[in-house]
Amino acid sequence: VRCVALVIETRPDCGKLEEGNEILRFGGTRIEIGIQSVYDEDLIFVKRGHSVQESIESSRILRDLGFKISFHYMLGLSQDRKKDLLGLKELFTNPDFRPDMIKIYPCLVMPGTELYNLWKNNEYIPISVEESAEIISEAKRFIPEYCRIQRIQRDIPETVIASGPKKTNLRQDVEKLCKEK
């Protein structure tokens, strides 16, 4: 019996040479890195605990070790929707990034989080379903054919989401917009 594919998800600050070599030892073939943003101010805002530079470094190290690289990217961390689109574009125009695959997650406000408290105090306005679909449909114009979009949106029951794009079939809205455009 032999494992032919093993995917490991990690954060950029936990995906360096030592971890990469250990994942190779386990038989890993692909790494999904939760970079979330290409803007340090967004990562600081959500207290992510890593920097954009660490995302770049982790991607380079893991790619050099031979892994396929997938990014998790989150829309709506900032209040600037143009910045969301520019961030996605940066992933494919900047050679420091260029993932093989991507999962795009609009930010959801969940009870019990600091973001929830900011939302309750009107200090954070979540991205909407419509804004998310618009940004992703525009981003598909510059996402290269080689890059597989593995997922758009998380499949979380809307009953546990306080605010944000609760629609789990957001990808269908994106595809409809792309056809219209």
Side-chain angles (χ1 to χ4, degrees), residues 3-7 21-30 67:
C3 177
V4 295
L6 176 64
V7 180
N21 280 322
E22 186 69 4
I23 294 166
L24 281 173
R25 194 177 69 73
F26 291 153
T29 56
R30 185 174 83 213
F67 291 104

Side-chain angles (χ1 to χ4, degrees), residues 51-67:
S51 67
V52 172
Q53 188 55 45
E54 285 177 297
S55 296
I56 291 168
E57 182 181 325
S58 177
S59 298
R60 182 189 50 76
I61 290 168
L62 296 170
R63 187 172 280 120
D64 287 350
L65 287 173
F67 291 104

Side-chain angles (χ1 to χ4, degrees), residues 33 35 59 69-73 91 97-99 101-103:
I33 308 171
I35 70 165
S59 298
I69 303 295
S70 177
F71 286 162
H72 293 200
Y73 197 82
L91 292 179
F97 295 112
R98 296 191 180 149
M101 293 152 272
I102 188 168
K103 292 181 179 178

Side-chain angles (χ1 to χ4, degrees), residues 110-159:
M110 306 299 283
T113 64
E114 288 186 44
L115 196 59
Y116 177 84
N117 296 330
L118 292 172
W119 169 70
K120 284 299 249 184
N121 293 328
N122 293 317
E123 297 174 52
Y124 174 76
I125 300 167
I127 192 167
S128 69
V129 168
E130 296 78 18
E131 290 171 318
S132 299
E134 178 62 30
I135 290 166
I136 296 167
S137 68
E138 283 300 312
K140 286 188 81 170
R141 295 179 189 272
F142 50 76
I143 295 176
E145 285 185 25
Y146 72 79
C147 182
R148 178 174 179 224
I149 300 174
Q150 296 173 284
R151 184 178 298 152
I152 294 175
Q153 187 58 292
R154 289 194 178 273
D155 192 11
I156 298 174
E158 90 174 59
T159 56

Side-chain angles (χ1 to χ4, degrees), residues 13-109:
D13 53 325
C14 298
K16 303 290 177 62
L17 187 59
E18 183 179 338
E19 296 88 355
N21 280 322
E22 186 69 4
I23 294 166
L24 281 173
R25 194 177 69 73
F26 291 153
T29 56
R30 185 174 83 213
I31 305 281
E32 295 190 11
I33 308 171
I35 70 165
Q36 311 307 357
S37 179
V38 295
Y39 302 108
D40 279 323
E41 59 268 22
D42 291 349
L43 298 172
I44 291 166
F45 172 69
V46 296
K47 299 179 181 169
R48 184 69 181 156
H50 66 82
S51 67
V52 172
Q53 188 55 45
E54 285 177 297
S55 296
I56 291 168
E57 182 181 325
S58 177
S59 298
R60 182 189 50 76
I61 290 168
L62 296 170
R63 187 172 280 120
D64 287 350
L65 287 173
F67 291 104
K68 289 286 189 183
I69 303 295
S70 177
F71 286 162
H72 293 200
Y73 197 82
M74 189 167 284
L75 301 179
L77 294 178
S78 75
Q79 302 296 288
D80 184 347
R81 304 307 178 225
K82 289 181 182 175
K83 188 174 154 185
D84 281 328
L85 181 61
L86 291 174
L88 278 169
K89 190 171 191 175
E90 177 77 5
L91 292 179
F92 299 100
T93 57
N94 184 337
D96 287 332
F97 295 112
R98 296 191 180 149
D100 301 298
M101 293 152 272
I102 188 168
K103 292 181 179 178
I104 303 171
Y105 299 126
C107 187
L108 300 172
V109 178

